[in-house]
Amino acid sequence: MLQREDRKLETIPVGTLGMIPLEGCRPLGEKVDYYLAKWRKEWESEHKSTLAFAGYQRDSYILDASVPRFGSGEAKGIINESVRGYDLYLLVDVTNHSLTYSLFDQENHMSPDDHYQNLKRIIAAVGGKARRITVIMPFLYESRQHKRNNRESLDCALALQELVGMGVDNIITFDAHDPRVQNAIPLHGFETVQPSYQFIKGLLKNQKDLTIDADHMMVISPDEGGMGRAIYMANVLGLDMGMFYKRRDYTQIVNGKNPIVAHEFLGSSVEGKDMIIIDDMISSGDSMLEVAAELKARKARRIFACSTFGLFTNGLEKFDKAYEDGIIDRVLTTNLIYQPQELLDRPYYINCDLSKYIAYIIDTLNHDGSISQLLDPSERIQNLLNKYRNHQL
């Protein structure tokens, strides 16, 4: 991984660094905070004691904020310390379904709408006093409703416009379902970050018998929409790529979408090769498992399923059975969203931690530095591959 000292942080900070991880994103925020505090304590510079670096070195950059609720279910955002002149970073996980609140003495699970509303409450509590506000929203709110096919709402575009209207300067997300949603806010910062490096690192660290070449391994996109990320991974690893496209029944709608009739495969032979299936999210998991089964039917060897967001909306039982039946060998997802303990305990699961990566991004942006080097991990991936082939990983 890129070391902090490898990056040229020669500029003074934009403002005093402050982080507010909303309740659903607290564990990730605390990990990010740990790295920031550690690096800034170790960093040697004659400028650290100057006025421009006031508040630079602290034990924690997490600010005291909360979103309490009234008995009716209504809420308010509170920040219990000054944020005037701060360079603020708000972290929110809109998919964390584990949190609850009381509504007329009944327990309600928080939906993405609730988390998004809480984000707006905290922005409103800032009251325009911060020097800059950056929202880090790993799973982009309403990103699955990113385009209009019929007379329907454009929720993602509306949310982005609402955030910049409230004073948000930059929005950082991971593996956006369709990056073109940034067209809704063309004059503001929007970055969609790919966790390719972390997937490769997680796989190489946990699977010691891989032969990474075009004769023994292949990258698979489970649909046409995800070809970009599969092409990138195939290119940096020097592998071939295959793709499935979904043949749908457009005469009916089930659960808001046209049901898939079959997965058709485009690509060279997969026989005897290890497969890396890469996608942006595992929702119910049906598509991922159907693609894995199709590959097994074509005599593929081992199957590693990589997905930025592991939602597992229908539970893990189908994945347990697929693992027992030899359909999948490993499942890799990130800690960008809530992970239940039962997922972390699964023998086939590999957790890809992105807290250090987010800390690098925040640290660099606070110095008003370029993050382009961080967004393109191809060089770091090559170094990783060399270490793996030399048995140094």
Side-chain angles (χ1 to χ4, degrees), residues 147-181:
K147 63 181 179 181
R148 176 178 280 160
N149 291 320
N150 300 301
R151 191 166 296 282
E152 57 189 27
S153 57
L154 272 169
D155 295 49
C156 191
L158 283 172
L160 294 177
Q161 291 180 348
E162 190 173 21
L163 289 176
V164 300
M166 293 182 75
V168 172
D169 296 279
N170 299 299
I171 297 167
I172 296 172
T173 189
F174 283 77
D175 210 349
H177 197 60
D178 188 339
R180 289 174 295 184
V181 293

Side-chain angles (χ1 to χ4, degrees), residues 140 146 175-183 190 192 194 229:
L140 187 61
H146 62 283
D175 210 349
H177 197 60
D178 188 339
R180 289 174 295 184
V181 293
Q182 65 188 287
N183 293 340
F190 181 97
T192 176
Q194 295 292 334
R229 65 180 70 85

Side-chain angles (χ1 to χ4, degrees), residues 1 5 11 33 84 90 167 189 251 281 291 297 334 360 370 383:
M1 189 68 177
E5 54 270 22
T11 54
D33 184 51
R84 186 177 293 276
L90 312 183
T251 63
M281 73 177 78
V291 165
T334 71
Y360 278 127
S370 169
N383 293 337

Side-chain angles (χ1 to χ4, degrees), residues 23-77:
E23 197 55 42
C25 211
R26 190 84 189 181
L28 179 63
E30 287 172 350
K31 283 187 172 183
V32 172
D33 184 51
Y34 163 78
Y35 286 114
L36 289 169
K38 178 174 178 285
W39 294 336
R40 294 194 169 193
K41 204 166 283 184
E42 294 169 352
W43 185 54
E44 295 300 327
S45 172
E46 69 273 18
H47 303 298
K48 277 171 77 172
S49 58
T50 63
L51 190 61
F53 282 76
Y56 188 79
Q57 185 178 309
R58 305 205 303 275
D59 292 333
S60 175
Y61 298 92
I62 294 178
L63 304 178
D64 183 10
S66 61
V67 186
R69 286 187 181 265
F70 302 100
S72 60
E74 296 165 296
K76 60 180 176 180

Side-chain angles (χ1 to χ4, degrees), residues 166-372:
M166 293 182 75
V168 172
D169 296 279
N170 299 299
I171 297 167
I172 296 172
T173 189
F174 283 77
D175 210 349
H177 197 60
D178 188 339
R180 289 174 295 184
V181 293
Q182 65 188 287
N183 293 340
I185 50 167
L187 301 181
H188 290 78
F190 181 97
E191 298 291 351
T192 176
V193 185
Q194 295 292 334
S196 307
Y197 173 84
Q198 286 77 11
F199 283 142
I200 294 167
K201 185 179 180 181
L203 185 59
L204 298 187
K205 279 199 163 189
N206 289 276
Q207 205 71 38
K208 298 298 183 185
D209 58 345
L210 297 172
T211 306
I212 304 166
D213 60 41
D215 294 326
H216 297 88
M217 189 176 272
M218 200 166 171
V219 178
I220 303 294
S221 174
D223 55 41
E224 60 278 17
M227 274 186 66
R229 65 180 70 85
I231 289 170
Y232 177 82
M233 184 173 275
N235 285 343
V236 294
L237 294 177
L239 308 177
D240 287 336
M241 193 210 87
M243 186 200 86
F244 282 87
Y245 71 90
K246 297 169 181 173
R247 192 146 52 83
R248 295 180 180 272
D249 180 1
Y250 286 99
T251 63
Q252 55 178 314
I253 296 175
V254 179
N255 294 330
K257 54 189 178 183
N258 304 106
I260 297 165
V261 177
H263 290 85
E264 306 289 355
F265 182 67
L266 299 173
S268 57
S269 171
V270 303
E271 188 172 349
K273 297 178 184 177
D274 290 332
M275 300 286 114
I276 299 176
I277 308 173
I278 185 160
D279 205 359
D280 61 335
M281 73 177 78
I282 293 173
S283 184
S284 66
D286 288 343
S287 288
M288 184 69 82
L289 293 177
E290 283 169 18
V291 165
E294 290 281 349
L295 290 169
K296 277 291 183 183
R298 290 171 169 80
K299 299 182 181 178
R301 191 177 172 220
R302 292 174 297 186
I303 293 183
F304 309 112
C306 301
S307 180
T308 308
F309 306 110
L311 299 172
F312 301 103
T313 55
N314 292 355
L316 295 166
E317 290 74 18
K318 284 184 287 189
F319 283 85
D320 294 342
K321 187 173 189 313
Y323 174 66
E324 289 163 11
D325 294 346
I327 302 295
I328 56 167
D329 293 83
R330 294 284 196 173
V331 175
L332 297 87
T333 72
T334 71
N335 66 334
L336 291 170
I337 61 171
Y338 167 70
Q339 299 164 297
Q341 189 58 46
E342 58 175 343
L343 173 64
L344 297 171
D345 292 340
R346 289 303 196 265
Y348 52 82
Y349 181 67
I350 297 173
N351 177 25
C352 300
D353 185 0
L354 274 97
S355 55
K356 195 173 184 180
Y357 193 20
I358 294 172
Y360 278 127
I361 292 171
I362 291 175
D363 194 31
T364 307
L365 287 177
N366 182 236
H367 277 266
D368 220 14
S370 169
I371 60 171
S372 56

Side-chain angles (χ1 to χ4, degrees), residues 3-11 43 364 367 369-370 373:
Q3 298 300 311
R4 187 187 199 258
E5 54 270 22
D6 293 340
R7 295 172 296 126
K8 304 299 181 196
L9 300 179
E10 296 171 342
T11 54
W43 185 54
T364 307
H367 277 266
S370 169
Q373 188 182 1

